[in-house]
């Protein structure tokens, strides 16, 4: 059990984190600490488009599952939804598995190389993380073009 003092420290840290990331009106209790692996952070640096595509797909799956079940009575609700990703290399499959975990989905690889692919399973507890990896990237890595412009402007100032 977390003591009140510890919980207060966690809430204060989450508020500072939300403020630092520019997140406004985020309930403190929804600020779940998500620890993305160094592998995923590196994948974001190397292939940001791939990471964003996977996150978008997983978000769409969660939304489709919730929308479908919200419109049905209890007898007709689906327990699970599955999605098969196209065959991909080992590193991309690992990224999908780790991102699926952040969305509270289960995942499994199927088939042999070169057709090995990942299937994710969406369930009632699946949800979007409070902070997606691609959002973290914007804060941690910054806008590369903005950083280049800033560096260029600083060089011009020092030369003049």
């Amino acid at each position: 059990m977390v003591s009140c003092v510890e919980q207060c420290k966690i809430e204060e840290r989450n508020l500072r984190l939300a403020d630092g990331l520019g997140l406004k009106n985020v309930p403190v209790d929804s600020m779940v600490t998500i620890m993305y692996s160094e592998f995923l952070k590196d994948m974001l640096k190397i292939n940001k488009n791939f990471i964003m595509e996977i996150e978008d797909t997983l978000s769409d799956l969660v939304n489709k599952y919730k929308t479908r079940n919200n419109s049905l009575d209890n007898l007709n609700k689906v327990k699970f939804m599955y999605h098969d990703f196209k065959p991909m290399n080992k590193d991309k499959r690992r990224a999908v598995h780790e991102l699926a975990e952040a969305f509270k989905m289960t995942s499994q690889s199927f088939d042999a190389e070169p057709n090995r692919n990942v299937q994710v399973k969406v369930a009632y507890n699946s949800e979007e993380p409070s902070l997606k990896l691609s959002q973290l990237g914007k804060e941690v890595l910054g806008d590369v073009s903005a950083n280049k412009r800033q560096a260029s402007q600083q060089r011009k100032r020092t030369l003049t």
Side-chain angles (χ1 to χ4, degrees), residues 96-108:
V96 172
H97 286 296
E98 290 188 27
L99 286 171
E101 189 176 320
F103 280 77
K104 297 182 182 175
M105 297 179 186
T106 56
S107 60
Q108 186 174 357

Side-chain angles (χ1 to χ4, degrees), residues 12-64:
E12 287 174 11
R13 183 210 59 213
N14 287 346
L15 285 172
R16 286 192 311 272
L17 177 64
D19 185 50
L21 294 174
L23 302 173
K24 304 295 179 209
N25 302 322
V26 178
V28 174
D29 58 351
S30 73
M31 290 289 296
V32 179
T33 303
I34 299 173
M35 300 299 292
Y36 292 106
S37 69
E38 289 302 315
F39 169 79
L40 274 180
K41 291 176 188 174
D42 289 342
M43 280 293 286
L44 178 65
K45 292 175 190 173
I46 295 167
N47 198 342
K48 185 175 184 174
N49 289 338
F50 173 77
I51 295 296
M52 291 176 71
E53 178 185 333
I54 298 303
E55 285 181 331
D56 288 346
T57 300
L58 297 177
S59 291
D60 288 345
L61 289 169
V62 168
N63 291 329
K64 284 178 187 174

Side-chain angles (χ1 to χ4, degrees), residues 83-88 92-94 96-97 100 106-110 115-120:
H83 176 77
D84 293 317
F85 286 93
K86 64 183 179 184
M88 57 186 72
K92 287 183 176 181
R93 287 195 310 270
R94 179 178 170 188
V96 172
H97 286 296
T106 56
S107 60
Q108 186 174 357
S109 290
F110 289 98
N115 297 317
R116 196 142 176 90
N117 68 317
V118 177
Q119 181 184 73
V120 294

Side-chain angles (χ1 to χ4, degrees), residues 128-147:
E128 291 186 59
S130 57
L131 187 65
K132 291 182 182 177
L133 178 62
S134 58
Q135 292 171 322
L136 178 69
K138 291 174 187 171
E139 301 303 326
V140 173
L141 302 175
D143 180 10
V144 176
S145 59
N147 290 342

Side-chain angles (χ1 to χ4, degrees), residues 61-71 81 122-128:
L61 289 169
V62 168
N63 291 329
K64 284 178 187 174
Y65 178 84
K66 304 257 184 218
T67 301
R68 179 176 176 158
N69 277 345
N70 287 341
S71 66
M81 277 179 55
V122 186
Y124 71 94
N125 64 329
S126 299
E127 63 185 14
E128 291 186 59

